[in-house]
Amino acid sequence: MKIKDYSIKSLPYIFLIIISSPIFIGYLWVFLRTFTRSMYGMRPTGGFTLNNWALILKDPILWNLVGNTFILALGLTIGILLISSAAAYPLSRMAFRGRKIYLSLSLILHAFPSVTLLIAIFFVLRWISAIPIFGRGLPLIGGFGYNTLGGVLLVSIAFMLPLGIWLMKGFFDNISWDIERAALIDGCSRFRTWRQILLPQIRPGLAALGIFAFMHGWSSFIIPYTFMVDARTAVMSTYLNLLTSGDRPIDYGVASAVALFQLLPILFFYLFTQKYLLKIFSGGMKGGS
Amino acid sequence: MKMELVNLNKSFQDVSAVKNLNLKVNDGELVAFLGPSGCGKTTTLLTIAGIYKPTSGDIFFDGERVNSLQPKERDIGMVFQSYALYPHMNAYQNIVFSLVLKKRPKEEMQREAKRVSDMLGIGHLLDRKASQLSGGQQQRVALARALIKQPKLLLFDEPLSNLDARLRMSMREEIRRLQTNLGITSVYVTHDQVEAMTMADRVAVMHNGDLLAYVTPEELHERPRTLFIGQFIGSPSMNILDAQLKSIDGSLHIKLTDGTTLPIPGERTPKSCKDGDMVKFGIRPEDVKLDSNGSVRGKVTFIESLGREHLIVSNIGEQRMQLLTEPGNKISLDSNINISVDMRKAQFFDAETGLTLLWE
C-alpha cells in the first residue's frame, strides 16, 4: 500500500523530469563543451582543456560586449521603472478622457509581435539620427539614432513598456484609496503622494519589474541585431550569433564559452532574486515594505 | 468651526450619489451621517474633505466658500475605516507626517507627537510599524495623526467598523470624550445606528442620496418622520403592522388585520385621516408586553435569547410582531399568547408615502 502511494505521488515528478530533460541535457552539453576539445554526442573526445575560456577571456572584444550588454540591461531597467511607475499611477488613479482606450491599446500593442514593426522602426531611428547630438553624439550610448546603443535601448524600452505599465498599474490598484486620501489631507501634493507614500508600498513590484527588465535586456537579441549595423560588436547575444553562423567553420568550444559566460550573471541574479520575481505573478504585496 | 452644505449635489457619471443636501453643523458639534451602505454618506464626507469636487452646490467653512480649496488647505483631519496608516512608516512618522510636510522644527514635532499620543495612550507604541499594531492601536494612531494638526474639522469615516464589539464600545466613548474636550466640530459617518445614537449631538439620516432627517438622537427615536427611519432606528427594530382606522363609540381605534381593535390615545391621533383609512401602525418591541389580560392574541413563532431579555416573535393574524420579555417565563414555540400594546407609544405612517401622520 505504502509503496503504491509512493509511486503514484512520484509519477508527476517523473513526467516533469522527462519533459524538461532535453533542456537540461542542452545546458549540460554547453557546459561540457567549454572544457573539451571536441565532443561526440554527449561524450567528450580529445581530452579536457581550458583553451576555449582562455581564448575568449583574452579577447578584448568580450569586455566591450559585456559593457554594452550591461548598459543595455541597466538602461532598460531604469527606463522601464521610471516610465512605467509614472505612467501607471494616473492610469490607476485618475479619471481622464481616453484612459480606457489607452489601456486597451497598450495591451494590444503588447500582444503585437515586435518583428512586424522592425522596418518602420528602422525609419524612425534613421530620422532620429538626423537630430544633432541627441541622434548620434552622446557619450557611452552613442545617441538615440540608428546604429547606436541608445537607439536599441529606446526601442527595447518602448517594446517593454506596455507590460511594465500594466504590471505597475496592477500594483497601484492594490493600494487602498484611503491611504492616498489620508496623504492628500495630511498636506501632500499628488506628486508627493506618488513619490513618498505610494512608491514605497510597491517596492516589491518595482524590484520584480526591475529584475525582469534587466534579464530581458541582458539577453535581448532581435532588436540589437537589427538596429546595430556593426552587430558583431553590439551585445553578447549578437556576438554569439556571429560565432555560430557565417561562412567560417564554427568553433563550438568558443561559442559555448561565450554562451555560458552570458548565462552566468543571469543565473546568479536569478538565484538571489527569484523571490521578488514571483511577486509579478502573485501580484500581491505580502510582507512587503 | 461652523460647517454648512448648501444644495450639495454629487454624481458619478449618471449616478446621483448625493441629492440636494442642505445641512448646517454648529461649532463644536458632533454630527453623525447615518444610513445603509450606498446611501451617499461617505461621498458627502469626501466632498467635505475636498477629495471629491461637488457636482453643484457649495460648502462653507465658517461662512467661507471652500469648494475650490485642496484637501490640504481645508484644515481638516480625517480618520478612515481602514485606518489608512502609511505602512512603510512607524507610528511616530505616521503621526508627525503632516508636520514634516509643513517643515516644522523637530522639537515641535516631538512635543506635539507626545501631546497627542499621551492623550490617546499610545506613547509606548511610537516606534512600531503599522503592521505590528492591533486594530485598536492602529485606529488610535490614525486618530493621533488627525489630531496633531489641530484641525478645525474632524471627519470620521466608519472608524470603528473594523474593530471587535468590546473595543468598539470603549473607542466610542473615547472619541466622544476627546471630541467634547477639544471642542472640535466633527462629522461622523456610520451605518451603525447605535454609534450614531450614542455619540452624536445630531443625526443626519441618509437614504439613496437624500437627507431624510436631521435631528437629535432622542427626536429620531421618539418621533420618526418616515417609516424608513422608524424601522432603521432602534434595535430590535420597530414592528410595522398594516391597520385600518376605525371609529368606535366616537373614539378612534385601529383595527389590525385579524380584527383586533386597539384604542388610540388622543395625543397620538393621526393627522388628516378619516375613518376607514389604511395606515402603517408602528410600535417598538419594548412597548409591547406579555399580558394575560392583553387584548391582542398571537402565536409564538420564534424565541431568541438576548441575554438580558428574550425577543419573542409572534404572529398576529398574518402579521409579525416582536416583543421583549424578561427571561424565565415559560413561553414555548407555537403557544398562544396574549399581548398588551402601549398605545401611548404608537407611531402612524401613511400607507402609501411612508411619511409620519403624527409629527411635523
Side-chain angles (χ1 to χ4, degrees), chain A residues 178 181 183 185-187 196 201, chain B residues 52 72 82 86-88 149:
Chain A
D178 282 353
R181 286 169 182 156
I185 289 172
D186 263 354
Q196 264 192 310
Q201 290 187 64
Chain B
Y52 292 156
K72 57 176 174 179
S82 61
Y86 313 125
H88 56 296
K149 290 183 277 189

Side-chain angles (χ1 to χ4, degrees), chain B residues 118-131:
Chain B
D118 282 350
M119 214 149 54
L120 288 152
I122 49 170
H124 57 296
L125 302 172
L126 290 183
D127 52 354
R128 296 220 198 146
K129 288 227 168 150
S131 54

